[in-house]
Amino acid sequence: MIKDLWYKNAIIYSVNVESFLDSNGDGVGDFEGLSRSLDYLQGMGITCLWLAPFQKSPRRDHGYDISDYYQVDPCFGTLGDFVDFTHEAHQRGIRVMMDLAINHTSDQHPWFQEARRDPSSKYRDYYVWSETKPEDAHKGVIFPGVQETTWTRDPVARQYYFHRFYPFQPDLNIDNPLVLAEIRKIMGFYLELGVSGFRMDAVPFVIEGKSPQARSPMNWQLLRDFRQFLQWRSRDAIILAEANVEPKHSVRYFGEDGDRLQMMFNFWVNQHVFLAMATGEVKPLVKALEQTRERPPNAQWAQFLRNHDELDLGRLSERQRQAVFDAMAPDPDMQLYERGIRRRLAPMLHGDQRRLRMAYSLMFALPGTPVLRYGDELGMGDRLDLPERDSGRTPMQWSNEKNAGFSRADKLVRPIVDEGPYGYEQVNVADQRRDPESLLNWTARMIRIRKEVPEIGWGNFDVLDVGHPGVLALRYRWLNNSVVVVHNLTDEAVEIGLRLPGERDRTLVNLLTRDHSQADRRGLHPLIMEPYGYHWYRAGGLGYLLDRTAV
Ligand code: GLC
């Protein structure tokens, strides 16, 4: 086993340059601002940043509509600022990953402009065209309610072009070797600038057959090609796939021999975590964990709660989805695209600190590598008066000063949350930094513990039977060590009996409080779980570093 696969136990933080810190007072966050925030991120224990797209873009989809892959959008600074930032991050032991949005470009990209004007241009075939509107054009839209079709007529080309997402995002024709060469060039460019890998946007759509005729098969080989190229150019860079797929398909993204993409977001578990929190029953979550258990040894799940998009519940049954809506987003305006929730985590959990901490503790305890969303470490809220997914993309709340300390400008890229219990006067870094009991300091503490429990990233888990439908107990074992994490998803205190098969005599030492437990005569550890309680234990005691075998 190669023990230095860094992504197995990273702490990833998702951030948009746009909304983090505005150093030059133009109302938009920038790389200089992000650089100045690095001590904050390092202090929290973050080891890897994932940057949302920052390249030149009309920004009609949060930068996921790129018009020049080789330039930083001027509102964020220059390529020089980007390299400076990456360097400063590395100085603090923080890796930088970036979004790789190559399923489509912006319709303003010179490739598309050239393609539509000139049928004989080499760029024409960079995109996917059809003389007539395919019959299934209304199917498979990604943003129902906002997007009507996947084929739109371009008046200049006098043909229809394919766009899986918004009409201003024409899909690239991946079957064209020239397009593949462009993608490799983009990856190669940023690897030279020091990134540790890419969060690859919309992977299932990148590799699907896109011709207007009958569907061609998925091009799995491409994933292997990307991987090989990446590792040839940069030995420890990785790809983290955005692929919201059924569990039975996930191994195909990792590759049976682990020869495709190293990481995938676990959307399946994510949706079942919210279902479990909404219903107070862990059974469906246990099943989801079992269903995503299999993965090649070098592959890893990314576990998350909220991200920059809506919370997509599209893989739950209608009844299950409704249960989550009822509990966390009852108002239709909180819902989006007929499948999701556009709120931040804290308001979804009614600002209940016990629940928030339990939710995060659970995320840190799930098999894989945790990914936090900026601002969630403070319990930031949302602005439902902003359109679609912008509700959860408001500026970072640094202090109770003007514009939450985000910017000196009068007009901001997006308004601050300035009212109610999540307003910046109540929720901000400066206050929480000074409060030992704050969510921010709690998060930093949990990150520290998570880092000291590499068993979660590397080990195998088993679900321990606790005899209560609302309590989840997971045990991880790795290198002769064993860790048990227990979560009570209900609002009631419960008493459980925990049995550790094969480790009957081992003491359980609590990592968060000063207590420990010895099994009784029947081999049971009697535990009292507070409402929304979370307990982290080491089996065997604190000499674990001495007990750990070398291989
Ligand atoms: C991904 C991104 C989303 C974006 C879409 C189109 O799903 O997460 O934010 O709108 O791709 O690029």
Side-chain angles (χ1 to χ4, degrees), residues 14 79 81 175 192 227 241 295 348 366 371-372 374 396 448 495 497 525:
S14 126
L79 264 185
D81 294 327
D175 292 335
E192 288 294 321
R227 161 72 169 265
R295 56 176 196 256
M348 285 173 67
L366 291 173
V371 184
L372 292 89
Y374 85 88
M396 180 70 172
R448 175 184 182 160
E495 207 179 332
H525 292 267

mmCIF file of all heavy atoms in Angstrom, residues 14 79 81 175 192 227 241 295 348 366 371-372 374 396 448 495 497 525:
data_model
loop_
_atom_site.group_PDB
_atom_site.id
_atom_site.type_symbol
_atom_site.label_atom_id
_atom_site.label_comp_id
_atom_site.label_asym_id
_atom_site.label_seq_id
_atom_site.Cartn_x
_atom_site.Cartn_y
_atom_site.Cartn_z
ATOM 1 N N SER A 14 -14.316 24.205 -0.103
ATOM 2 C CA SER A 14 -14.773 24.718 -1.399
ATOM 3 C C SER A 14 -15.029 26.214 -1.298
ATOM 4 O O SER A 14 -15.740 26.675 -0.403
ATOM 5 C CB SER A 14 -16.042 23.948 -1.799
ATOM 6 O OG SER A 14 -17.114 24.797 -2.094
ATOM 7 N N LEU A 79 -3.077 36.305 -13.906
ATOM 8 C CA LEU A 79 -2.454 34.986 -13.734
ATOM 9 C C LEU A 79 -1.334 35.057 -12.701
ATOM 10 O O LEU A 79 -1.109 34.122 -11.942
ATOM 11 C CB LEU A 79 -1.873 34.501 -15.062
ATOM 12 C CG LEU A 79 -2.719 33.577 -15.925
ATOM 13 C CD1 LEU A 79 -1.899 33.126 -17.132
ATOM 14 C CD2 LEU A 79 -3.213 32.349 -15.146
ATOM 15 N N ASP A 81 -1.348 36.922 -10.052
ATOM 16 C CA ASP A 81 -1.968 36.840 -8.720
ATOM 17 C C ASP A 81 -2.329 35.396 -8.383
ATOM 18 O O ASP A 81 -2.230 34.960 -7.237
ATOM 19 C CB ASP A 81 -3.249 37.696 -8.671
ATOM 20 C CG ASP A 81 -2.947 39.171 -8.817
ATOM 21 O OD1 ASP A 81 -1.881 39.606 -8.354
ATOM 22 O OD2 ASP A 81 -3.770 39.881 -9.427
ATOM 23 N N ASP A 175 -15.757 13.811 -29.116
ATOM 24 C CA ASP A 175 -15.300 12.812 -30.090
ATOM 25 C C ASP A 175 -14.237 13.382 -31.032
ATOM 26 O O ASP A 175 -13.584 12.640 -31.759
ATOM 27 C CB ASP A 175 -16.484 12.316 -30.945
ATOM 28 C CG ASP A 175 -17.459 11.519 -30.111
ATOM 29 O OD1 ASP A 175 -17.018 10.957 -29.083
ATOM 30 O OD2 ASP A 175 -18.651 11.478 -30.461
ATOM 31 N N GLU A 192 1.276 23.030 -14.593
ATOM 32 C CA GLU A 192 2.550 23.766 -14.561
ATOM 33 C C GLU A 192 2.482 24.906 -13.552
ATOM 34 O O GLU A 192 3.484 25.295 -12.978
ATOM 35 C CB GLU A 192 2.880 24.350 -15.948
ATOM 36 C CG GLU A 192 3.291 23.329 -16.985
ATOM 37 C CD GLU A 192 4.607 22.644 -16.661
ATOM 38 O OE1 GLU A 192 5.519 23.317 -16.171
ATOM 39 O OE2 GLU A 192 4.703 21.423 -16.892
ATOM 40 N N ARG A 227 -6.616 10.417 -16.725
ATOM 41 C CA ARG A 227 -5.820 10.003 -15.574
ATOM 42 C C ARG A 227 -4.349 9.823 -15.954
ATOM 43 O O ARG A 227 -3.440 10.277 -15.271
ATOM 44 C CB ARG A 227 -6.405 8.705 -15.023
ATOM 45 C CG ARG A 227 -5.515 7.867 -14.145
ATOM 46 C CD ARG A 227 -5.323 8.535 -12.804
ATOM 47 N NE ARG A 227 -4.688 7.665 -11.838
ATOM 48 C CZ ARG A 227 -5.324 6.909 -10.952
ATOM 49 N NH1 ARG A 227 -6.642 6.896 -10.938
ATOM 50 N NH2 ARG A 227 -4.673 6.182 -10.091
ATOM 51 N N ALA A 241 -14.282 13.724 -9.336
ATOM 52 C CA ALA A 241 -15.355 13.775 -10.321
ATOM 53 C C ALA A 241 -16.672 14.251 -9.727
ATOM 54 O O ALA A 241 -17.090 13.766 -8.678
ATOM 55 C CB ALA A 241 -15.555 12.390 -10.933
ATOM 56 N N ARG A 295 -14.951 -0.024 -3.603
ATOM 57 C CA ARG A 295 -14.185 0.880 -4.449
ATOM 58 C C ARG A 295 -12.759 0.370 -4.464
ATOM 59 O O ARG A 295 -12.314 -0.264 -3.510
ATOM 60 C CB ARG A 295 -14.256 2.320 -3.948
ATOM 61 C CG ARG A 295 -13.822 2.499 -2.519
ATOM 62 C CD ARG A 295 -13.808 3.958 -2.110
ATOM 63 N NE ARG A 295 -13.036 4.112 -0.895
ATOM 64 C CZ ARG A 295 -13.560 4.300 0.315
ATOM 65 N NH1 ARG A 295 -14.867 4.356 0.470
ATOM 66 N NH2 ARG A 295 -12.792 4.433 1.361
ATOM 67 N N MET A 348 -31.450 25.178 7.061
ATOM 68 C CA MET A 348 -32.163 23.913 6.871
ATOM 69 C C MET A 348 -32.329 23.175 8.190
ATOM 70 O O MET A 348 -33.292 22.436 8.393
ATOM 71 C CB MET A 348 -31.413 23.009 5.886
ATOM 72 C CG MET A 348 -31.555 23.462 4.459
ATOM 73 S SD MET A 348 -30.491 22.512 3.358
ATOM 74 C CE MET A 348 -31.241 20.928 3.454
ATOM 75 N N LEU A 366 -17.846 9.923 7.907
ATOM 76 C CA LEU A 366 -18.274 9.034 6.822
ATOM 77 C C LEU A 366 -17.054 8.536 6.031
ATOM 78 O O LEU A 366 -16.052 9.245 5.933
ATOM 79 C CB LEU A 366 -19.225 9.773 5.880
ATOM 80 C CG LEU A 366 -20.586 10.114 6.481
ATOM 81 C CD1 LEU A 366 -21.391 10.989 5.515
ATOM 82 C CD2 LEU A 366 -21.374 8.840 6.816
ATOM 83 N N VAL A 371 -15.431 17.364 2.553
ATOM 84 C CA VAL A 371 -15.370 18.612 1.786
ATOM 85 C C VAL A 371 -16.309 19.612 2.448
ATOM 86 O O VAL A 371 -17.516 19.383 2.532
ATOM 87 C CB VAL A 371 -15.812 18.403 0.321
ATOM 88 C CG1 VAL A 371 -15.645 19.702 -0.472
ATOM 89 C CG2 VAL A 371 -15.024 17.283 -0.334
ATOM 90 N N LEU A 372 -15.746 20.714 2.922
ATOM 91 C CA LEU A 372 -16.568 21.740 3.579
ATOM 92 C C LEU A 372 -16.884 22.845 2.587
ATOM 93 O O LEU A 372 -16.093 23.125 1.682
ATOM 94 C CB LEU A 372 -15.807 22.388 4.731
ATOM 95 C CG LEU A 372 -15.492 21.551 5.946
ATOM 96 C CD1 LEU A 372 -14.176 20.829 5.789
ATOM 97 C CD2 LEU A 372 -15.439 22.450 7.168
ATOM 98 N N TYR A 374 -17.411 26.894 2.088
ATOM 99 C CA TYR A 374 -17.029 28.120 2.808
ATOM 100 C C TYR A 374 -18.238 28.698 3.530
ATOM 101 O O TYR A 374 -19.356 28.682 3.009
ATOM 102 C CB TYR A 374 -16.422 29.158 1.854
ATOM 103 C CG TYR A 374 -17.436 30.025 1.133
ATOM 104 C CD1 TYR A 374 -17.897 31.213 1.699
ATOM 105 C CD2 TYR A 374 -17.943 29.656 -0.106
ATOM 106 C CE1 TYR A 374 -18.843 32.009 1.052
ATOM 107 C CE2 TYR A 374 -18.888 30.439 -0.747
ATOM 108 C CZ TYR A 374 -19.334 31.611 -0.160
ATOM 109 O OH TYR A 374 -20.282 32.380 -0.799
ATOM 110 N N MET A 396 -18.578 36.014 2.115
ATOM 111 C CA MET A 396 -18.100 35.504 3.394
ATOM 112 C C MET A 396 -18.279 36.573 4.472
ATOM 113 O O MET A 396 -18.035 37.752 4.227
ATOM 114 C CB MET A 396 -16.623 35.137 3.240
ATOM 115 C CG MET A 396 -15.978 34.596 4.484
ATOM 116 S SD MET A 396 -16.617 32.942 4.860
ATOM 117 C CE MET A 396 -15.528 32.477 6.197
ATOM 118 N N ARG A 448 -9.115 18.793 13.559
ATOM 119 C CA ARG A 448 -7.911 18.258 14.199
ATOM 120 C C ARG A 448 -8.094 16.788 14.570
ATOM 121 O O ARG A 448 -7.215 15.946 14.332
ATOM 122 C CB ARG A 448 -7.631 19.086 15.435
ATOM 123 C CG ARG A 448 -6.503 18.596 16.258
ATOM 124 C CD ARG A 448 -6.444 19.459 17.471
ATOM 125 N NE ARG A 448 -5.347 19.096 18.302
ATOM 126 C CZ ARG A 448 -4.856 19.924 19.212
ATOM 127 N NH1 ARG A 448 -5.372 21.124 19.353
ATOM 128 N NH2 ARG A 448 -3.871 19.528 19.959
ATOM 129 N N GLU A 495 -30.487 5.477 25.148
ATOM 130 C CA GLU A 495 -29.502 4.599 25.764
ATOM 131 C C GLU A 495 -29.285 3.438 24.821
ATOM 132 O O GLU A 495 -30.251 2.813 24.371
ATOM 133 C CB GLU A 495 -30.058 4.102 27.104
ATOM 134 C CG GLU A 495 -28.967 3.764 28.055
ATOM 135 C CD GLU A 495 -29.513 3.305 29.399
ATOM 136 O OE1 GLU A 495 -30.626 3.743 29.763
ATOM 137 O OE2 GLU A 495 -28.826 2.510 30.046
ATOM 138 N N GLY A 497 -26.664 -0.043 23.613
ATOM 139 C CA GLY A 497 -25.612 -0.976 23.997
ATOM 140 C C GLY A 497 -24.764 -1.240 22.763
ATOM 141 O O GLY A 497 -25.274 -1.612 21.712
ATOM 142 N N HIS A 525 -21.096 -2.238 25.683
ATOM 143 C CA HIS A 525 -20.757 -0.925 26.231
ATOM 144 C C HIS A 525 -22.063 -0.141 26.345
ATOM 145 O O HIS A 525 -22.644 0.212 25.327
ATOM 146 C CB HIS A 525 -19.819 -0.156 25.297
ATOM 147 C CG HIS A 525 -18.466 -0.744 25.183
ATOM 148 N ND1 HIS A 525 -17.424 -0.355 25.982
ATOM 149 C CD2 HIS A 525 -17.976 -1.715 24.359
ATOM 150 C CE1 HIS A 525 -16.341 -1.042 25.654
ATOM 151 N NE2 HIS A 525 -16.658 -1.880 24.677
#
